[in-house]
Amino acid sequence: MPESNEPKLSLSGLTQQQLTELVCSWGEKPYRARQLWSWLHVRLAEEIDAMSDLSLALRTRLNDICAPLRPQIAAHRLSVDGTQKWLLTLADGQTIETVLIPEEGRGTLCISSQAGCTLTCPFCHTGTQGLARNLKTAEIVDQVLLVRSELVRCGSPHRVTNVVLMGMGEPLYNYNAVAKAVQILLDGNGIAIGSRKITLSTAGVVPRLLQAGRELGVNLAISLHAARDELRDQLVPLNRKYNLATLKQALQQYPLKHGRRITWEYVLLDGINDTDDDARQVARYLTAIPSKINLILFNPWSGTPFAPATPQRVENFQHILHQAGYVTVIRDRRGADIEAACGQLTGLLQGTRPRPIA
Ligand code: SAH
């Protein structure tokens, strides 16, 4: 038989309901769909043939129409601090990165939502590469499945307990695929990562913010990096479209769940956005928004004109925000020795203690 040109089906991009409808449309009983779901999301089967309790006929059918269950690992690196990075090759040859940051009692996986990015933030390495394309739902979910099964396969003591959409790309520019991926990650009979343990990071795509808040219920992180328009226009060019006032207005209507706060990311760049005045502007800007601030140590990359702020500046900046009453955490640089593109961000986690400054 000639090979069909139909695009192959990626099972991990289906919700449990869609998978059930598909399997039942072939005349199979619903419990077959439950078995298949469990093989994919809980038992972490790497191929259809491993699903030993499905009938041979069903496995053959799945093998005929389905794409491989895992992306290819193009490279894997392990940092001395335990951070691990996977470079994955997608079906069309695009590559994306996924970074695991193990910390005491949890493992945060930083996943990508696009291959590349359109936002051109000048201090971000991905920003210099331009957009390649949006990821599909399955390509987002697969990052979690792949790392979970790699950890089991290698007998690693680490687990993926938290997910941050903070890798390559702007998740709110790929909203539909991201929303469905989140729905799949949340499914209690499957990957089962709770909504408090998923964080979506955005540069501030205002028209999608409220929708994300209403529909996804996950934590929101916003890349601030400057609290005056003139500077933010440079550091986060999206600010020219949705400026600080517009962003704040949207956030004042944001449906924050009880007890939760918005996380703000602020990468401290030497001589650019790290003065006492900059800190005071941040404090003023965040007034009346339940906030937690993550001060991120800039991770330099070859060719960048930016440098990390000095420890003294970082300390002063944190002090001013503390004085103003904000929970302010300094995020360690992680995986610096493996160029952990988003590993540097170390996740956005509730309750992490500030790192003492040496
Ligand atoms: N587009 C989304 C998510 C991806 S970037 C967003 O802007 O939030 C995730 C975070 O990493 C952002 O706060 C980004 O500004 C920050 N970041 C990018 N490059 C960095 C670097 N070299 N050092 C430190 N933080 C960086």
Side-chain angles (χ1 to χ4, degrees):
M1 275 225 306
E3 280 270 305
S4 150
N5 286 331
E6 286 271 301
K8 295 265 183 183
L9 175 70
S10 294
L11 291 172
S12 55
L14 302 179
T15 61
Q16 198 177 359
Q17 189 182 342
Q18 287 176 321
L19 190 74
T20 306
E21 284 164 10
L22 177 74
V23 169
C24 291
S25 75
W26 298 336
E28 300 278 353
K29 296 272 187 307
Y31 80 90
R32 288 289 181 208
R34 284 198 294 276
Q35 284 176 316
L36 176 54
W37 178 263
S38 166
W39 276 115
L40 292 169
H41 293 264
V42 183
R43 302 171 81 173
L44 302 169
E46 294 180 355
E47 42 192 42
I48 306 280
D49 286 331
M51 304 179 179
S52 50
D53 55 5
L54 299 185
S55 69
L56 185 59
L58 181 53
R59 276 185 276 151
T60 307
R61 181 162 209 164
L62 289 167
N63 269 323
D64 282 347
I65 62 166
C66 293
L69 299 184
R70 295 279 181 273
Q72 272 182 24
I73 301 174
H76 170 247
R77 296 175 77 184
L78 173 63
S79 161
V80 287
D81 67 20
T83 300
Q84 300 189 49
K85 175 166 97 168
W86 287 264
L87 186 68
L88 305 177
T89 308
L90 306 175
D92 63 354
Q94 292 287 348
T95 53
I96 52 165
E97 292 179 352
T98 299
V99 178
L100 178 72
I101 303 127
E103 289 173 296
E104 221 179 287
R106 70 179 157 212
T108 301
L109 191 67
C110 177
I111 63 175
S112 297
S113 56
Q114 298 179 310
C117 189
T118 49
L119 295 182
T120 63
C121 304
F123 60 89
C124 173
H125 189 247
T126 310
T128 64
Q129 299 163 23
L131 176 72
R133 71 168 170 84
N134 277 337
L135 297 189
K136 298 177 195 149
T137 297
E139 291 167 334
I140 300 170
V141 173
D142 281 347
Q143 297 171 59
V144 180
L145 293 175
L146 175 123
V147 171
R148 278 202 166 163
S149 58
E150 283 296 294
L151 294 177
V152 172
R153 199 177 57 77
C154 300
S156 165
H158 302 303
R159 295 286 169 265
V160 176
T161 58
N162 295 58
V163 168
V164 291
L165 281 145
M166 212 194 267
M168 298 165 87
E170 169 48 56
L172 295 186
Y173 272 163
N174 185 17
Y175 183 77
N176 292 340
V178 164
K180 193 169 169 200
V182 165
Q183 191 190 344
I184 294 169
L185 298 181
L186 289 170
D187 191 310
N189 296 316
I191 296 170
I193 295 178
S195 66
R196 287 178 170 276
K197 299 194 166 178
I198 299 179
T199 300
L200 184 149
S201 174
T202 177
V205 182
V206 166
R208 291 286 193 187
L209 272 182
L210 298 184
Q211 188 183 4
R214 277 194 301 266
E215 295 178 355
L216 308 185
V218 299
N219 297 315
L220 181 68
I222 300 184
S223 298
L224 185 61
H225 307 324
R228 56 188 163 96
D229 282 319
E230 197 187 45
L231 180 57
R232 196 166 187 265
D233 280 350
Q234 303 303 317
L235 295 179
V236 185
L238 186 67
N239 194 69
R240 296 175 204 163
K241 215 165 172 181
Y242 310 113
N243 66 16
L244 287 160
T246 314
L247 179 63
K248 183 155 180 177
Q249 212 175 20
L251 288 175
Q252 280 166 334
Q253 299 161 39
Y254 188 83
L256 258 189
K257 288 199 184 165
H258 181 71
R260 293 209 207 172
R261 281 185 279 220
I262 288 175
T263 300
W264 297 89
E265 297 158 83
Y266 195 102
V267 57
L268 283 162
L269 302 166
D270 184 39
I272 305 282
N273 65 352
D274 63 346
T275 66
D276 290 357
D277 247 7
D278 291 318
R280 284 191 280 267
Q281 279 162 6
V282 171
R284 255 196 315 275
Y285 180 68
L286 300 185
T287 312
I289 301 177
S291 297
K292 171 191 169 212
I293 303 161
N294 277 351
L295 298 177
I296 303 171
L297 303 182
F298 173 62
N299 223 3
W301 35 275
S302 127
T304 179
F306 297 99
T310 62
Q312 186 60 52
R313 292 284 353 126
V314 176
E315 186 176 1
N316 288 3
F317 210 95
Q318 184 187 33
H319 181 70
I320 290 169
L321 293 172
H322 273 164
Q323 291 292 97
Y326 294 100
V327 176
T328 308
V329 172
I330 296 167
R331 305 306 312 193
D332 260 326
R333 233 175 304 180
R334 295 283 300 260
D337 55 330
I338 59 164
E339 297 139 44
C342 70
Q344 58 209 265
L345 307 172
T346 73
L348 288 174
L349 305 160
Q350 314 276 327
T352 312
R353 287 212 199 88
R355 184 184 70 104
I357 301 171

